[in-house]
């Protein structure tokens, strides 16, 4: 059973690990940590984001449509987008489309995917690394938007 990441966290909610740690014996409770792993490679991070997108019904449908049902291309695009060394020049159309969905608040999918993507990053990376990755992705999107507005 897959439980998707929910970006709508309430103020009074506690992580399940802190609630369960009071209810379970110490060795089991100690193993319940958030899914934060700062040692993730770009490929591992891209795969986990890819899996989270597949788990969300609307995002999965949209990505299936824009990738022409080629999920290997979606995973490849996520690898490119999440790589800090990536620049905006020469990105393939699918990568540009996914980047736009991740950053723009346009349309239904943009308003769903952007906060969902941010929540997934916070869940996987923790707050500091997630902010850095979000900054990288948004900078990549801003560069792409500038290139489209002012072609050379």
């Amino acid at each position: 059973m897959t439980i998707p990441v929910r970006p709508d966290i309430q103020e009074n909610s506690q992580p399940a690990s802190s609630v369960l740690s009071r209810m379970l014996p110490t060795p089991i409770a100690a193993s319940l940590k958030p899914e934060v792993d700062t040692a993730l490679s770009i490929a591992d991070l891209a795969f986990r984001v890819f899996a989270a997108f597949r788990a969300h019904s609307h995002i999965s449908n949209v990505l299936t449509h824009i990738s022409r049902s080629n999920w290997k291309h979606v995973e490849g695009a996520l690898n490119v987008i999440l790589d800090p060394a990536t620049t905006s020049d020469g990105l393939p159309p699918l990568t540009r489309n996914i980047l736009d969905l991740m950053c723009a608040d346009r349309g239904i999918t943009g308003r769903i995917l952007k906060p969902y993507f941010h929540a997934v990053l916070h869940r996987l990376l923790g707050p500091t690394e997630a902010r850095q990755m979000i900054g990288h992705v948004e900078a990549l999107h801003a560069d792409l938007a500038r290139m489209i507005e002012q072609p050379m």
Side-chain angles (χ1 to χ4, degrees), residues 5-95:
V5 177
R6 291 190 49 190
D8 56 332
I9 297 174
Q10 299 174 357
E11 289 181 30
N12 298 334
S13 66
Q14 296 180 23
S17 59
S18 66
V19 174
L20 291 174
S21 65
R22 287 180 265 147
M23 298 169 29
L24 297 172
T26 306
I28 297 172
S31 69
L32 294 173
K33 296 178 183 171
E35 199 177 318
V36 174
D37 184 1
T38 56
L40 283 176
S41 69
I42 297 302
D44 288 339
L45 177 62
F47 177 77
R48 291 179 186 200
V49 170
F50 167 82
F53 286 176
R54 288 289 305 247
H56 190 284
S57 60
H58 181 78
I59 295 170
S60 179
N61 285 341
V62 170
L63 292 178
T64 298
H65 173 72
I66 68 171
S67 70
R68 298 181 178 140
S69 300
N70 192 332
W71 278 92
K72 288 186 187 261
H73 287 165
V74 173
E75 187 176 1
L78 289 172
N79 270 297
V80 170
I81 291 168
L82 297 174
D83 185 353
T86 298
T87 60
S88 58
D89 50 317
L91 293 177
L94 177 62
T95 305

Side-chain angles (χ1 to χ4, degrees), residues 117-135:
F117 172 61
H118 289 190
V120 167
L121 287 181
H122 279 274
R123 170 87 172 144
L124 296 174
L125 299 176
T128 304
E129 292 84 4
R131 280 193 299 274
Q132 290 172 346
M133 184 58 70
I134 291 167

